[in-house]
């Protein structure tokens, strides 16, 4: 089905801490992930990002791979603490850090690859966490993020025309401050966490992230857009849900409630300039911070150009009979991989939480476009193959499950465009290379390039070499 527009933007994506390494080079400050990865006992299966894929030194070779794969664009994130080592608005900027990212941008442009820059992909400067609690101080952190964004626009905005403020604020809020499985690892329900309050902190962090995004976008719109003429948005994660029991209206309500807790939490204030979804306000009450008139004024100046969607899988939602616990963050629902009839949502990938569900992806795209009315860029989508974490390099480079996943999800995009009328303008496969999969360490492999973590040698997988043709087969001729 030829439905992708002729100017469809596509490429691959990465994140700074997962690939860069070079954590102590040229004045880079520590991030909360440096601290979290070196906690004892380990909460990351013994893994850390000290070397990672050594992209800090090997980026020219990695970009040669991008060029070989035919990528039109590349989404990567900046390390805040590499640019402002201590993070704050009155702290010094690192010129070597600026120079590193400037070289990256120039290297991409020299290869004809469009840079898509994410300002924040979970690696808050440890200096800000130590100084005032980081994302738990709504007023301070949004002002520090605004200044960091200003530095990036000033130094890179003449060459970078596509900006993403935050990656997956839901993950930062919930995994960082509710379950504690990601940095900074705060939780009152996780035995490994020494401190935290899972009933209140994720909602405080969520507001801090929303207002930080809003300040960064308002700043771009008011001061930089007229000269730089770029685009700016945010990348939100969120699964799509269907009712566990299609005949039970309570499960239909549970579906909507779950997606509001997942996506509406951030998308309603950011894209609709409205309060949080009513179901959240009803369940959480005063634990959900209020937006002031001044907050809404900033949100009003923060018009985005696009909705960045990170999508991997879908689930079934089943209502719960009992009232929600104080630490519930999903909307008082059960999340299940099979429905009442025992039908699976889709075939299992190489990680327990990800099943391939392209038909639900299409529904998700259409729902999001109709709700928020912005062009959608798929800023992450991909999977590990079943058993890939145990494969040799020779086995892993043959990745038919990943190729089929890409094919079916690109087909879902085509149907959403052609049959549902959704506007979908680009797609970034996750990820360019196997890398540090956060708290899962170096086991799970999402890359289209095999990384040998002992030699750091890269080997293209078959999916990388056929991806260009997968897109072009579905693209409308110019």
């Amino acid at each position: 089905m030829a439905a992708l527009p002729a100017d469809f933007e596509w490429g691959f994506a990465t994140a700074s801490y997962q690939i860069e390494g070079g954590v102590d080079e040229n004045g880079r400050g520590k991030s909360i992930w440096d601290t979290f990865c070196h906690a004892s006992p380990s909460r990351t299966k013994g893994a850390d990002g000290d070397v990672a894929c050594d992209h800090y030194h090997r980026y020219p070779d990695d970009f040669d791979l991008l060029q070989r794969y035919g990528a039109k664009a590349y989404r990567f994130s900046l390390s805040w603490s590499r640019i402002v080592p201590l993070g704050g608005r009155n702290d010094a900027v690192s010129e070597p850090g600026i120079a590193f990212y400037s070289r990256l941008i120039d290297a991409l442009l020299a290869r004809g690859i469009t840079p898509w820059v994410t300002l924040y992909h979970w690696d808050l400067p440890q200096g800000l966490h130590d100084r005032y609690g980081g994302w738990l101080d709504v007023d301070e952190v949004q002002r520090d993020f605004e200044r960091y964004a200003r530095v990036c626009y000033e130094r890179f905005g003449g060459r970078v025309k596509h900006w993403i403020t935050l990656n997956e604020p839901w993950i930062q809020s919930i995994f960082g401050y509710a379950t504690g499985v990601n940095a900074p690892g705060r939780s009152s329900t996780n035995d490994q966490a020494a401190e935290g309050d899972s009933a209140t902190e994720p909602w405080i962090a969520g507001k801090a992230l929303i207002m930080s995004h809003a300040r960064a976008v308002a700043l771009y719109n008011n001061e930089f857009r007229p000269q730089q003429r770029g685009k700016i948005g945010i990348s939100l994660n969120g699964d799509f849900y269907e009712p566990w029991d299609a005949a039970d209206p309570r499960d239909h309500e549970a579906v909507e409630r779950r997606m509001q807790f997942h996506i509406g939490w951030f998308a309603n204030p950011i894209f609709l300039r409205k309060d949080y979804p009513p179901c959240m306000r009803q369940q959480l009450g005063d634990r959900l911070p209020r937006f002031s008139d001044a907050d809404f004024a900033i949100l009003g100046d923060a018009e985005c150009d696009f909705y960045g969607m990170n999508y991997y899988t879908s689930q079934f939602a089943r209502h719960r009979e009992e009232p929600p616990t104080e630490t519930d963050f999903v909307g008082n629902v059960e999340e299940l991989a099979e429905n009442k009839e025992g039908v699976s949502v889709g075939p299992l990938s190489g990680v327990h939480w990800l099943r391939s569900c392209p038909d639900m992806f299409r529904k998700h795209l259409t729902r999001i476009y109709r709700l928020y009315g912005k062009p959608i860029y798929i800023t992450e989508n991909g999977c590990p193959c079943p058993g890939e974490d145990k494969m040799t390099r020779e086995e892993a480079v043959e990745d038919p499950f990943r190729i089929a996943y890409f094919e079916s999800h690109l087909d879902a995009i085509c149907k959403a465009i052609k049959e549902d009328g959704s506007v979908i303008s680009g797609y970034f496969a996750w990820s360019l290379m196997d890398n540090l999969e956060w708290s899962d360490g170096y086991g799970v492999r999402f890359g289209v390039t095999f990384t040998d973590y002992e030699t750091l040698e890269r080997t293209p997988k078959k999916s990388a070499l056929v991806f260009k043709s997968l897109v072009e087969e579905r693209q409308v001729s110019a």
Side-chain angles (χ1 to χ4, degrees):
M1 176 188 289
L4 301 181
D7 60 352
F8 191 72
E9 193 110 42
W10 69 271
F12 303 92
T14 62
S16 54
Y17 190 73
Q18 291 179 273
I19 66 168
E20 279 184 5
V23 295
D24 294 324
E25 298 201 31
N26 292 316
R28 175 188 176 274
K30 280 189 175 182
S31 78
I32 56 175
W33 270 97
D34 293 296
T35 302
F36 190 73
C37 282
H38 287 280
S40 182
S42 176
R43 298 169 70 176
T44 58
K45 300 184 178 178
D48 60 60
D50 291 2
V51 175
C53 302
D54 197 31
H55 180 71
Y56 186 79
H57 299 106
R58 298 167 186 255
Y59 71 86
D61 293 337
D62 292 334
F63 292 171
D64 286 347
L65 284 176
L66 274 177
Q67 193 170 24
R68 178 180 173 187
Y69 300 163
K72 295 174 64 176
Y74 173 58
R75 179 191 169 214
F76 64 102
S77 75
L78 308 178
S79 167
W80 186 346
S81 59
R82 201 181 287 285
I83 292 173
V84 186
L86 295 178
R89 55 194 179 275
N90 297 314
D91 293 325
V93 171
S94 169
E95 292 302 330
I98 295 285
F100 169 68
Y101 288 117
S102 190
R103 292 194 297 273
L104 253 66
I105 292 163
D106 286 345
L108 289 168
L109 294 173
R111 291 165 174 79
I113 300 168
T114 301
W116 278 65
V117 172
T118 304
L119 293 173
Y120 182 77
H121 198 127
W122 306 352
D123 47 355
L124 181 79
Q126 183 66 36
L128 300 187
H129 184 78
D130 293 342
R131 189 176 298 169
Y132 53 70
W135 296 114
L136 296 179
D137 191 321
V138 176
D139 187 61
E140 286 294 316
V141 75
Q142 64 178 286
R143 296 174 190 276
D144 286 342
F145 186 75
E146 180 183 40
R147 188 272 188 139
Y148 162 59
R150 178 184 292 278
V151 171
C152 296
Y153 301 152
E154 288 175 345
R155 299 301 190 95
F156 311 130
R159 291 164 291 165
V160 173
K161 304 302 178 185
H162 301 84
W163 296 97
I164 295 167
T165 55
L166 307 173
N167 182 77
E168 299 182 344
W170 188 94
I171 295 286
Q172 175 69 90
S173 302
I174 296 301
F175 286 8
Y177 297 90
T179 66
V181 297
N182 278 8
R186 295 178 62 86
S187 174
S188 55
T189 62
N190 186 330
D191 292 340
Q192 291 185 295
E195 53 190 2
D197 184 350
S198 301
T200 60
E201 290 187 2
W203 316 115
I204 295 168
K207 183 183 177 187
L209 288 154
I210 290 168
M211 294 311 303
S212 295
H213 156 86
R215 279 188 177 269
V217 176
L219 172 67
Y220 189 80
N221 289 345
N222 294 332
E223 297 188 31
F224 293 91
R225 182 187 295 274
Q227 293 79 33
Q228 296 182 358
R229 301 182 183 278
K231 295 180 179 180
I232 192 165
I234 187 171
S235 289
L236 301 181
N237 66 298
D239 299 351
F240 184 79
Y241 292 80
E242 290 196 335
W244 178 79
D245 181 353
D248 191 335
R250 294 171 299 178
D251 285 356
H252 286 268
E253 292 171 3
V255 160
E256 183 61 23
R257 193 165 62 248
R258 180 66 191 98
M259 290 192 284
Q260 291 292 358
F261 265 76
H262 217 159
I263 298 164
W265 176 11
F266 296 96
N268 281 21
I270 288 170
F271 291 100
L272 303 180
R273 279 70 165 211
K274 292 169 61 176
D275 191 27
Y276 303 110
C279 62
M280 293 186 70
R281 184 65 71 190
Q282 180 180 355
Q283 177 175 319
L284 300 171
D286 291 338
R287 288 185 287 130
L288 198 58
R290 301 277 175 180
F291 291 107
S292 66
D293 290 343
D295 292 334
F296 277 118
I298 296 169
L299 286 162
D301 284 341
E303 178 82 20
C304 290
D305 297 289
F306 60 88
Y307 182 111
M309 177 188 287
N310 290 3
Y311 171 88
Y312 291 94
T313 195
S314 298
Q315 301 186 65
F316 294 110
R318 183 183 185 184
H319 75 282
R320 295 173 61 89
E321 297 285 357
E322 60 272 17
T325 64
E326 192 177 45
T327 56
D328 174 73
F329 53 81
V330 297
N332 203 33
V333 306
E334 291 182 66
E335 301 173 293
L336 301 159
E338 294 183 351
N339 66 11
K340 186 179 181 181
E341 284 71 45
V343 177
S344 172
V345 75
L348 183 62
S349 72
V351 65
H352 67 91
W353 55 265
L354 198 164
R355 293 172 183 264
S356 181
C357 320
D359 292 342
M360 292 191 187
F361 179 41
R362 172 187 172 181
K363 295 176 184 178
H364 187 48
L365 288 164
T366 301
R367 177 181 181 272
I368 292 298
Y369 181 70
R370 290 176 180 172
L371 275 175
Y372 302 113
K374 292 291 183 182
I376 295 172
Y377 287 87
I378 314 304
T379 44
E380 288 182 25
N381 182 240
C383 68
C385 298
E388 191 172 8
D389 57 327
K390 301 293 193 297
M391 291 180 184
T392 65
R393 172 172 52 190
E394 290 71 27
E395 293 169 331
V397 297
E398 301 289 333
D399 55 348
F401 187 93
R402 181 177 288 108
I403 292 171
Y405 182 97
F406 285 147
E407 286 181 316
S408 62
H409 284 70
L410 287 168
D411 285 342
I413 293 172
C414 290
K415 291 173 183 175
I417 293 171
K418 197 163 188 177
E419 299 176 24
D420 305 336
S422 301
V423 177
I424 304 164
S425 302
Y427 179 102
F428 292 86
W430 186 270
S431 172
L432 173 60
M433 67 189 90
D434 297 330
N435 55 52
L436 174 64
E437 188 50 35
W438 305 109
S439 57
D440 279 335
Y442 288 103
V444 179
R445 292 179 176 269
F446 274 87
V448 299
T449 308
F450 180 89
T451 304
D452 183 320
Y453 294 120
E454 293 186 6
T455 66
L456 297 176
E457 181 183 1
R458 280 78 150 135
T459 306
K461 299 177 188 178
K462 188 171 289 185
S463 58
L465 302 175
V466 304
F467 195 86
K468 183 173 186 282
S469 63
L470 297 181
V471 174
E472 290 179 344
E473 286 166 6
R474 293 159 176 81
Q475 205 158 18
V476 177
S477 299

